[in-house]
Amino acid sequence: MTSSNSDRPHRLNEFAMIAKYFAPLSKGAAGAAGLTDDVATLNVPAGHEMVAKVDAVVEGVHFLRHDPASLVASKALRVNLSDLAAKGATPIGYLLSLSLASWADDDWIAQFAEGLREDQNHFGVDLLGGDTTSTPGPVTISITALGSILAGTTVRRAGAQPGDLVFVTGSIGDAGAGLAVLKGEGTDLPASERETLIRRYRVPEPRLAVGRLLPGLASASLDVSDGLIADLGHIAETSAVRLVVEAARVPLSSAVRALWGDGIDGIVRCVTVGDDYEIAFTAPAQARSRIADVAARSRIPVTEIGTVEAGQGVTLLDRGEPVPINRPGYTHF
Amino acid sequence: MTSSNSDRPHRLNEFAMIAKYFAPLSKGAAGAAGLTDDVATLNVPAGHEMVAKVDAVVEGVHFLRHDPASLVASKALRVNLSDLAAKGATPIGYLLSLSLASWADDDWIAQFAEGLREDQNHFGVDLLGGDTTSTPGPVTISITALGSILAGTTVRRAGAQPGDLVFVTGSIGDAGAGLAVLKGEGTDLPASERETLIRRYRVPEPRLAVGRLLPGLASASLDVSDGLIADLGHIAETSAVRLVVEAARVPLSSAVRALWGDGIDGIVRCVTVGDDYEIAFTAPAQARSRIADVAARSRIPVTEIGTVEAGQGVTLLDRGEPVPINRPGYTHF
């Protein structure tokens, strides 16, 4: 773990900070060398290949200064593990690139590290290495997740074939609804349902237990981060097919139904809000019963929501009629 | 390659940006899937392990808004390759996490990508994957370099033994002198020498040709980024030894001598300014002739500058007398 210059003596110096908060997170990984070396080394099991993914979260874009630091850490790690999950990979560990604003004091860093520690235990991963620097701007956290997978079995976005079925794990729209609640919607909802939705927004649940069963079964797969329709659109584009989703089959939680209702407007909101971190995938029709087994073994719901056809794009059907979608997911720059 | 939300339509939307500027940088790596998937996969040769390193560079801390974007990209990549070089690893590719401020327009991004492209060709690495997001703060670039090394041969910081010799590649102090020139020093120097120093600051030269010959030869190694004395201090600490450096043996370029003179004050400045990205390493005395071979084969100067003794810390000797060092390298937070 290395660090860069700053003039602000408002917290432990960076070597002390690394030793106190971050080195303990690397103890399970011999190749991390206790964060006292320039690089991390890691072994890839024979016959396997490395899988790597980086994602940044930025204060003011992905989280707010006063959000609980442990949850910020958790989300930063989990959004990356979710990508590995969707591909069928097994996470090994991660590298942390942490750009600290002057407001981020020892308390914030301690809570941030605690969030990482809890998730490391939960997911069986270790901090392998990293870099800390000061920044005149917002706290910026970039996590690189590293994992392994049996060589050649990674489930890609390309691979969906006409005749395949479309599936999704868990429920869709909860995280977006949680953000809406944080912004002031749903004041008439019971506190428990509001909390459920907010939790889904703040702490994604990477579907590793499903993902590891997908190689050899799914024809295409990804994690839903931008919005179900937008992300299925990525599969449609890279696979050069059309995906048709039946609105009534999209799995919705009771909490999101309480907030946005059972009607098509509520469903459209759910399939376009993003931040779900569920796995959406396609598979041949003959895999249907094996996918039911996956759901049973992983104890995570897996719902069949549509079909793959020749053509392009994603169509959402409401009682047989296409529903116009103005905005399939996040507006990007 | 994924991307996150922003409200600013001031440049190509991010999918177009990735397709235009970044996807071409991934063409050499099948596992990058043209940046159209959630993860990158990469093969590690049999008997080898992965080596990973992340480093962030931040506008206003490590570079300035009006610095040439191609050189910013080059430095961001090279500082990571330098770490791999110092460990004896062979770089394979890298992941790019790019947080873009609103001022960074298409032109800047095009030049940034061009800087990466040139260095990819130079170092034989590929863009494997990445993430783009907007930020309300400074442009922040976090690069994760991935490489491979014969299992168990990584040269660590720990490993220096009393009786070993201390070596360094290239010349020390040029980059720090280049920064000093950018800040207004050396106005009486010939333009060519000013340019030489500035170039050394802006475009580090990872010493891969030396580094790959170090496994089995060096007992400890790192790249010099904080300052020679500070970085040798890392070896001293992790190896639990004392390093003694003879000031007169520290290799200095003619340009830096022209700026700061031949005296001990100039040498102290050179060994404490940082940004050198040379390799400092220790090796047993009987390796001396093989190290001369390394220098000859790599065509990079390698200079013996001191010895390893029992004890702790780093001592700089000037004609047999210890030189007091107030500040061995960058001041960190």
Side-chain angles (χ1 to χ4, degrees):
Chain A
M1 194 122 173
T2 56
S3 58
S4 296
N5 58 312
S6 159
D7 301 325
R8 304 183 192 85
H10 66 283
R11 61 175 88 95
L12 283 179
N13 82 56
E14 88 291 11
F15 295 113
M17 185 183 89
I18 292 167
K20 180 171 181 182
Y21 298 118
F22 294 110
L25 301 179
S26 73
K27 283 199 170 155
L35 306 185
T36 64
D37 212 308
D38 306 69
V39 301
T41 58
L42 62 163
N43 291 303
V44 181
H48 287 62
E49 53 196 357
M50 236 19 242
V51 177
K53 164 70 185 179
V54 67
D55 233 334
V57 301
V58 179
E59 174 200 344
V61 180
H62 306 89
F63 69 94
L64 300 174
R65 183 176 304 192
H66 298 291
D67 287 347
S70 61
L71 298 188
V72 172
S74 185
K75 187 160 185 172
L77 179 57
R78 288 172 179 228
V79 298
N80 283 292
L81 297 182
S82 177
D83 283 296
L84 267 56
K87 307 281 105 176
T90 300
I92 298 172
Y94 66 99
L95 305 173
L96 169 66
S97 176
L98 183 58
S99 300
L100 285 168
S102 56
W103 66 260
D105 58 11
D106 272 358
D107 273 357
W108 191 90
I109 295 163
Q111 289 173 40
F112 181 83
E114 175 59 19
L116 292 175
R117 192 191 64 76
E118 288 177 10
D119 268 3
Q120 288 191 190
N121 292 340
H122 187 60
F123 295 107
V125 295
D126 293 297
L127 177 62
L128 300 172
D131 167 61
T132 57
T133 181
S134 64
T135 175
V139 169
T140 301
I141 304 149
S142 183
I143 284 185
T144 302
L146 298 172
S148 72
I149 192 164
L150 195 64
T153 69
T154 301
V155 185
R156 291 296 194 177
R157 292 181 180 179
Q161 301 281 343
D164 285 355
L165 306 175
V166 182
F167 298 86
V168 69
T169 61
S171 58
I172 293 295
D174 297 336
L179 179 58
V181 167
L182 284 171
K183 286 180 172 174
E185 287 190 50
T187 50
D188 55 334
L189 250 60
S192 66
E193 293 198 324
R194 292 159 50 91
E195 284 308 309
T196 296
L197 296 172
I198 291 170
R199 173 99 190 152
R200 287 274 283 166
Y201 172 67
R202 286 191 163 152
V203 188
E205 194 61 51
R207 299 303 195 184
L208 289 156
V210 171
R212 67 188 174 80
L213 300 173
L214 292 183
L217 197 57
S219 52
S221 173
L222 47 56
D223 75 325
V224 181
S225 56
D226 291 344
L228 180 64
I229 299 296
D231 284 313
L232 290 179
H234 298 319
I235 289 181
E237 187 176 353
T238 52
S239 297
V241 294
R242 176 180 180 228
L243 269 58
V244 180
V245 174
E246 291 183 52
R249 303 181 80 163
V250 175
L252 305 182
S253 70
S254 57
V256 87
R257 285 176 197 272
L259 183 69
W260 286 338
D262 286 313
I264 187 66
D265 290 350
I267 296 171
V268 167
R269 232 176 137 178
C270 285
V271 297
T272 55
V273 281
D275 265 325
D276 297 294
Y277 297 101
E278 298 290 354
I279 301 178
F281 65 96
T282 61
Q286 63 267 30
R288 194 182 263 144
S289 68
R290 287 165 64 204
I291 288 164
D293 286 345
V294 166
R297 286 170 62 188
S298 66
R299 299 186 185 178
I300 294 167
V302 178
T303 306
E304 184 184 325
I305 59 170
T307 53
V308 181
E309 301 183 1
Q312 58 183 18
V314 180
T315 303
L316 182 69
L317 290 183
D318 180 28
R319 284 161 292 186
E321 292 299 316
V323 181
I325 305 277
N326 294 324
R327 188 175 161 280
Y330 275 145
T331 306
H332 303 279
F333 62 73
Chain B
M1 195 120 176
T2 57
S3 58
S4 295
N5 57 313
S6 160
D7 300 327
R8 303 183 194 85
H10 65 286
R11 61 175 86 95
L12 282 179
N13 83 56
E14 88 288 20
F15 295 113
M17 185 183 89
I18 291 167
K20 181 171 180 182
Y21 298 118
F22 295 109
L25 301 179
S26 74
K27 282 198 171 156
L35 305 186
T36 64
D37 213 306
D38 306 72
V39 301
T41 59
L42 61 164
N43 291 302
V44 181
H48 286 63
E49 54 195 357
M50 254 347 265
V51 177
K53 164 70 185 179
V54 66
D55 233 333
V57 301
V58 179
E59 174 200 345
V61 180
H62 306 88
F63 69 94
L64 299 175
R65 182 177 304 193
H66 298 292
D67 287 348
S70 61
L71 298 188
V72 172
S74 185
K75 185 160 186 174
L77 179 58
R78 287 170 179 230
V79 297
N80 283 291
L81 298 182
S82 176
D83 284 296
L84 266 56
K87 307 281 105 176
T90 301
I92 298 172
Y94 67 99
L95 305 173
L96 169 66
S97 176
L98 183 58
S99 299
L100 285 169
S102 56
W103 66 260
D105 58 11
D106 270 358
D107 273 357
W108 191 90
I109 295 164
Q111 289 174 41
F112 181 84
E114 175 60 18
L116 292 176
R117 191 190 65 75
E118 288 176 11
D119 268 4
Q120 289 191 189
N121 292 340
H122 188 60
F123 295 108
V125 296
D126 293 297
L127 176 62
L128 299 172
D131 167 62
T132 57
T133 180
S134 63
T135 176
V139 169
T140 302
I141 304 149
S142 182
I143 284 185
T144 302
L146 298 171
S148 71
I149 191 165
L150 195 63
T153 68
T154 302
V155 186
R156 292 297 195 175
R157 292 181 180 179
Q161 302 279 343
D164 285 356
L165 306 174
V166 182
F167 297 87
V168 69
T169 61
S171 58
I172 294 294
D174 297 335
L179 179 59
V181 167
L182 284 170
K183 286 178 172 175
E185 288 189 50
T187 49
D188 54 334
L189 250 62
S192 65
E193 293 198 323
R194 293 160 48 89
E195 283 308 309
T196 296
L197 295 172
I198 291 171
R199 173 96 190 156
R200 286 274 284 164
Y201 172 68
R202 286 191 163 153
V203 187
E205 195 60 53
R207 299 303 195 184
L208 289 156
V210 171
R212 67 188 174 79
L213 300 173
L214 292 184
L217 196 56
S219 52
S221 173
L222 46 57
D223 74 326
V224 181
S225 55
D226 291 343
L228 180 64
I229 298 296
D231 284 312
L232 290 179
H234 298 318
I235 289 182
E237 186 177 354
T238 52
S239 296
V241 293
R242 176 180 180 227
L243 268 60
V244 180
V245 173
E246 291 183 53
R249 304 182 78 164
V250 174
L252 304 183
S253 70
S254 58
V256 87
R257 286 176 197 270
L259 183 69
W260 287 339
D262 284 316
I264 186 65
D265 290 351
I267 296 172
V268 167
R269 230 174 139 180
C270 285
V271 296
T272 56
V273 281
D275 265 325
D276 297 294
Y277 298 101
E278 298 291 353
I279 301 178
F281 65 98
T282 61
Q286 64 267 29
R288 194 182 262 143
S289 68
R290 288 164 65 203
I291 288 165
D293 286 345
V294 166
R297 286 170 62 188
S298 65
R299 299 182 185 181
I300 295 167
V302 179
T303 306
E304 184 183 325
I305 59 169
T307 55
V308 181
E309 301 183 0
Q312 59 184 17
V314 180
T315 303
L316 183 70
L317 289 184
D318 180 28
R319 285 162 291 186
E321 293 298 317
V323 181
I325 304 277
N326 294 323
R327 187 174 161 280
Y330 274 147
T331 305
H332 303 280
F333 63 72

